[in-house]
Amino acid sequence: MNPELAGEESEPRVPTDLHKALAATPVAKAQWRDLTPIARRDFISWIDSAKQPETHKRRIEKACLMLAAGKRRPCCYSIVSFNLYKALAAAPRARAQWGNLTPIARRDFISWIDSAKQPEAHKRRIEKACVMLAAGKRRP
């Protein structure tokens, strides 16, 4: 990802094993092509976050099933907005703290940020989250 492409999302690199699985499942492949680059990035990130090779393989299988069923996002993965990624990249202490959070704590921050419906309120919550993380807070 290149944070200098404000608002644009580059096309993610598809891992070879996922590419092969999609090629073997035409319905999933068609749905994959219809996804935005950000949605594809989320699937790839979810798959690549597996620590065990067996989990990685299961997630690829599950991704193909979800795509074939018409799903556009991984079902159980907290989606981190591109704006939060950019803000964390600009705040090294907040980024380091984010890396130390549990998945549940990350979900809490994401849910809190996403609960702001107005774009300006959403932006302010991202900024506030970075300040809280830099200060060592683990919950919003």
Side-chain angles (χ1 to χ4, degrees):
M1 257 188 305
N2 185 351
E4 295 173 340
L5 298 174
E8 284 186 39
E9 182 70 16
S10 61
E11 190 63 37
R13 188 188 80 60
V14 180
T16 305
D17 47 358
L18 176 59
H19 183 73
K20 288 178 184 177
L22 290 169
T25 315
V27 176
K29 185 176 183 179
Q31 177 74 350
W32 180 262
R33 283 193 303 248
D34 191 47
L35 296 177
T36 65
I38 293 172
R40 287 190 287 266
R41 181 205 67 203
D42 290 340
F43 267 105
I44 292 168
S45 179
W46 172 63
I47 291 165
D48 286 346
S49 69
K51 292 182 176 71
Q52 300 293 321
E54 299 82 22
T55 305
H56 182 86
K57 183 179 177 185
R58 277 194 312 271
R59 286 186 183 179
I60 288 175
E61 293 167 1
K62 189 172 182 179
C64 287
L65 290 172
M66 287 190 285
L67 288 163
K71 301 279 184 179
R72 301 187 64 78
R73 297 284 181 163
C75 66
C76 47
Y77 184 68
S78 296
I79 308 302
V80 179
S81 74
F82 189 62
N83 291 333
L84 179 56
Y85 272 122
K86 289 192 316 185
L88 289 170
R93 290 178 62 189
R95 183 176 179 199
Q97 179 70 2
W98 179 261
N100 292 329
L101 293 178
T102 65
I104 292 170
R106 287 182 188 180
R107 256 181 298 203
D108 289 346
F109 269 104
I110 292 166
S111 295
W112 175 70
I113 291 167
D114 288 346
S115 68
K117 301 302 179 200
Q118 299 299 322
E120 282 303 312
H122 191 266
K123 183 179 177 182
R124 282 192 305 273
R125 286 202 178 175
I126 287 173
E127 292 167 359
K128 188 170 181 176
C130 287
V131 169
M132 288 189 287
L133 287 163
K137 297 210 177 206
R138 302 184 70 79
R139 298 265 192 238

